[in-house]
């Protein structure tokens, strides 16, 4: 899978990807992530990529030309399954969104800044708009990093234990159950006996019950009617 990212602060993303779990994904050639500096695609002086908005109002808007220049240049080499714009007014990003995107071959992520990007780019080039939550960030880079991380770890072979991504919170609309490791007794706080029993069928039942309990307590909104 290949994910290309267009940003005005590529350094921010480079340091993130150099240290995350995706480093291994890249080393194993399971995932290629390329970060492009939008300023390399502008014909305006001093690397300008933004300007005042028509109609007045505070805040600069990213101009269409550098963005379209970047997108079209990259499209010469790659057919993208989705051209995604990170924006607080996009659809919410869920585990399901990550699952869907992990099945694609090529993604292009566009990080906005300032007041956003010229609407004409959204109208004519963007195929999907995604928000990582109901809050406004200063740019789309953190959103892009979150998407790459959430999607990248679903690619088979990226995690050591391939089944572990399937057991994550949210994969079945349930939060994950509690987990324990050695020692069995820490300051008198004991690991539940069931986990030491070796009875895998019962352990799975226990885990499901605990996941359900935790979801009911913390995120009842996730439960479907039949589980309530
Ligand atoms: N850019 C600014 N805020 C954002 C958000 N909440 N999600 C995605 N991109 C953003």
């Amino acid at each position: 899978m290949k994910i290309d990212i267009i940003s005005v602060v590529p350094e921010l993303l480079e340091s993130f990807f150099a240290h995350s779990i995706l480093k291994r994904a890249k080393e194993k050639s399971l995932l290629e992530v390329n970060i492009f500096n939008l300023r390399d695609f502008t014909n305006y002086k001093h690397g300008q990529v933004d300007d005042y908005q028509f109609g007045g109002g505070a805040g600069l808007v990213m101009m269409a030309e550098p963005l379209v220049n970047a997108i079209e240049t990259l499209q010469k080499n790659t057919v993208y399954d989705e051209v995604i714009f990170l924006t607080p007014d996009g659809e919410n990003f869920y585990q399901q969104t990550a699952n869907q995107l992990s099945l694609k071959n090529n993604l292009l992520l566009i990080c906005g800044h300032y007041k956003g990007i010229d609407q004409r780019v959204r109208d004519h080039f963007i195929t999907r708009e995604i928000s990582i939550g109901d809050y406004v960030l200063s740019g789309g880079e953190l959103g892009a990093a979150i998407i790459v991380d959430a999607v990248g770890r679903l690619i088979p072979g990226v995690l050591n234990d391939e089944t572990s991504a399937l057991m994550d919170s949210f994969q079945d609309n349930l939060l994950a159950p509690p987990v324990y490791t050695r020692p069995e007794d820490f300051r008198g706080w004991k690991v539940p006996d069931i986990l030491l029993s070796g009875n895998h069928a019962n352990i799975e039942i226990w885990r499901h019950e605990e996941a359900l309990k935790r979801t009911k307590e913390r995120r009842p909104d996730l439960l479907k009617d039949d589980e309530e």
Side-chain angles (χ1 to χ4, degrees):
M1 179 179 203
K2 181 168 85 161
I3 304 182
D4 289 343
I5 307 175
I6 299 174
S7 162
V8 284
V9 273
E11 307 80 16
L12 210 79
L13 289 163
E14 272 151 16
S15 61
F16 175 79
F17 293 130
H19 299 286
S20 75
I21 187 176
L22 302 171
K23 200 172 152 204
R24 196 169 58 232
K26 285 198 279 180
E27 282 163 4
K28 287 197 205 163
S29 300
L30 297 168
L31 176 66
E32 181 186 335
V33 180
N34 304 300
I35 302 153
F36 297 91
N37 189 341
L38 182 63
R39 294 187 204 283
D40 292 339
F41 296 90
T42 184
N43 294 316
Y44 292 86
K45 272 188 281 185
H46 313 301
Q48 188 189 350
V49 293
D50 51 49
D51 211 337
Y52 296 103
Q53 52 178 313
F54 282 127
L60 297 167
V61 174
M62 288 168 73
M63 291 185 285
E65 193 186 313
L67 278 167
V68 169
N69 196 6
I71 295 168
E72 287 185 333
T73 303
L74 296 177
Q75 280 176 333
K76 281 187 191 137
N77 290 325
T78 308
V79 177
Y80 293 105
D81 300 293
E82 300 276 12
V83 179
I84 299 170
F85 175 48
L86 281 302
T87 176
D89 59 2
E91 59 172 301
N92 275 325
F93 184 70
Y94 294 114
Q95 186 63 43
Q96 266 186 4
T97 329
N99 294 349
Q100 282 169 10
L101 294 178
S102 73
L103 301 174
K104 309 284 184 188
N105 291 319
N106 298 308
L107 299 175
L108 177 58
L109 307 185
I110 316 266
C111 304
H113 262 261
Y114 321 112
K115 265 277 167 214
I117 67 176
D118 191 299
Q119 182 60 37
R120 290 166 290 189
V121 180
R122 297 174 74 162
D123 293 343
H124 299 288
F125 291 88
I126 303 295
T127 61
R128 196 157 180 180
E129 302 191 324
I130 293 181
S131 164
I132 56 152
D134 289 343
Y135 36 79
V136 178
L137 301 164
S138 53
E141 282 74 15
L142 289 174
I146 283 170
I147 291 180
V148 174
D149 194 293
V151 169
R153 63 193 294 288
L154 295 175
I155 299 170
V158 169
L159 297 183
N160 279 336
D161 174 1
E162 275 193 42
T163 58
S164 74
L166 296 174
M167 302 298 282
D168 286 342
S169 282
F170 304 112
Q171 278 300 6
D172 47 9
N173 267 344
L174 291 179
L175 300 182
V179 291
Y180 299 85
T181 186
R182 288 186 293 177
E184 285 175 27
D185 185 333
F186 174 66
R187 295 186 176 178
W189 302 316
K190 299 206 172 64
V191 171
D193 287 339
I194 178 84
L195 295 178
L196 310 173
S197 70
N199 184 332
H200 293 289
N202 283 349
I203 290 172
E204 279 320 301
I205 293 169
W206 180 85
R207 285 187 170 145
H208 183 74
E209 283 168 355
E210 289 296 314
L212 204 57
K213 198 165 96 190
R214 191 168 267 197
T215 311
K216 269 185 188 155
E217 280 167 12
R218 301 181 182 194
R219 293 292 306 275
D221 57 297
L222 293 175
L223 290 173
K224 294 180 222 97
D225 293 340
D226 54 290
E227 276 169 343
E228 270 172 324

